[in-house]
Amino acid sequence: MKFLEKHPMIMIVIGIIGISLSAIFVKYSEALSVVTAAYRLLWTVVLMTPVVLGKKEIRRELAGSDKKTVALCAVSGIFLALHFTSWFESLNQTSVASSTAIVCTEVIWVALGFCVFLKGRLSKAAVGSIAVTVAGSLLIALSDYSAGGNHLAGDGLALAAAVFSAVYTLIGREARKHMSTTVYTYIVYVFCALALCISTAVSGLSFTGYGAASVVVGLLLAVFSTLLGHSIFSWCLKFLSPSFVSASKLCEPVVAAVFAAVLFAEIPAILAVAGGFVTIGGVLLYSRVESHSEAQEKT
């Protein structure tokens, strides 16, 4: 572990690969989107439970959690469930490249939500970066509209997934003020899993009958995309700047698109590629603007 602390970039690379594999794993699942998401979260909870319950200080914090904060975690978990369901369905209807690029606009929706609901302010540079991101997303949509089929609907679902993820993040900012990362994520994942299971049951869908491969996909998503993906980025925040960690996540659409091209022969159109780069560029620009603003506030 000391070696990794001295070389955190190794963990960044592992994290990028982990989150980039998420879209690829989903493509191999034969289960419905909500069921695949339920598999992922159930496996995540199963894997995290021994760690959470195995440490006395974490058990104590979990037992003493404030009811209001737990309620926030529950709402956060519901929006995370909506995010997974809509994004997984998006991957069934459009390309990996388009879907992942649009989902990466989450940070833009977080910024807008911060302004609308938390009375925050955006600089002119931030507004400009948002405009660039929107323009990139429109290029992707235009490319997919020309391609016909359900691609445009898939883009819409990816956009919805980004918005749901933004709400989950905004709620998490408030809940995280009162609890550790481990306890927060565990409670959120539990409620997310419950929401997905209830949604599946209420819809009259079956949890079984999709083959062992779909269950394995859920496990792979839990291990690589959740624990070796998002959790690693949280760990990297101890050794690298938040702006760098956030920017590194923007490699996901590119890496995922390469995987998709090799494994599924998904070669995006030139307009979609251009839109993807413009979208990622806009998000990266906003990340830098935000980082600069934070640095000014500290001085």
Side-chain angles (χ1 to χ4, degrees):
M1 184 59 72
K2 290 184 178 180
F3 174 80
L4 293 176
E5 290 178 0
K6 293 181 180 179
H7 303 86
M9 280 302 299
I10 296 176
M11 298 299 280
I12 285 288
V13 173
I14 294 174
I16 291 172
I17 294 174
I19 62 174
S20 299
L21 285 172
S22 181
I24 304 304
F25 290 145
V26 171
K27 287 282 191 178
Y28 283 105
S29 178
E30 296 181 2
L32 298 171
S33 299
V34 65
V35 177
T36 300
Y39 286 162
R40 173 178 181 169
L41 269 297
L42 287 171
W43 274 117
T44 300
V45 171
V46 168
L47 294 172
M48 285 188 68
T49 297
V51 177
V52 172
L53 300 184
K55 294 185 178 181
K56 185 177 181 180
E57 60 272 17
I58 298 180
R59 292 200 308 270
R60 186 180 301 163
E61 182 185 351
L62 186 63
S65 298
D66 177 73
K67 291 182 179 179
K68 182 180 179 181
T69 305
V70 172
L72 283 175
C73 290
V75 177
S76 184
I78 291 172
F79 276 98
L80 184 60
L82 291 170
H83 160 74
F84 282 133
T85 303
S86 54
W87 185 43
F88 287 3
E89 184 59 29
S90 166
L91 290 166
N92 289 330
Q93 299 189 32
T94 191
S95 67
V96 169
S98 295
S99 183
T100 52
I102 294 174
V103 163
C104 274
T105 63
E106 172 206 345
V107 64
I108 301 300
W109 300 107
V110 168
L112 293 176
F114 178 70
C115 291
V116 174
F117 299 106
L118 301 180
K119 299 180 179 180
R121 292 184 178 182
L122 288 176
S123 64
K124 291 182 179 180
V127 173
S129 62
I130 290 174
V132 171
T133 304
V134 172
S137 298
L138 289 175
L139 285 175
I140 294 173
L142 180 61
S143 174
D144 287 342
Y145 175 77
S146 301
N150 295 325
H151 291 285
L152 193 58
D155 292 346
L157 286 168
L159 181 62
V163 173
F164 289 140
S165 184
V167 176
Y168 151 73
T169 300
L170 287 170
I171 296 174
R173 283 186 175 182
E174 182 63 28
R176 281 286 311 280
K177 294 178 182 178
H178 310 288
M179 58 177 55
S180 65
T181 301
T182 301
V183 172
Y184 165 71
T185 54
Y186 183 71
I187 295 176
V188 168
Y189 290 159
V190 167
F191 278 107
C192 182
L194 285 173
L196 290 166
C197 289
I198 291 173
S199 176
T200 301
V202 170
S203 301
L205 303 174
S206 174
F207 285 98
T208 60
Y210 306 103
S214 297
V215 178
V216 173
V217 165
L219 175 60
L220 293 174
L221 285 166
V223 173
F224 286 92
S225 305
T226 301
L227 301 180
L228 292 180
H230 297 290
S231 296
I232 279 182
F233 284 120
S234 297
W235 179 86
C236 287
L237 289 172
K238 294 181 180 180
F239 310 99
L240 298 167
S241 69
S243 58
F244 178 80
V245 174
S246 297
S248 66
K249 294 180 182 179
L250 296 179
C251 294
E252 178 188 358
V254 178
V255 177
V258 171
F259 280 140
V262 174
L263 297 173
F264 311 123
E266 282 190 4
I267 309 299
I270 295 178
L271 187 60
V273 172
F277 277 110
V278 172
T279 299
I280 295 170
V283 175
L284 180 59
L285 178 61
Y286 174 78
S287 298
R288 290 184 175 180
V289 170
E290 185 180 58
S291 177
H292 180 67
S293 299
E294 290 177 352
Q296 287 185 324
E297 290 176 0
K298 292 179 180 179
T299 56

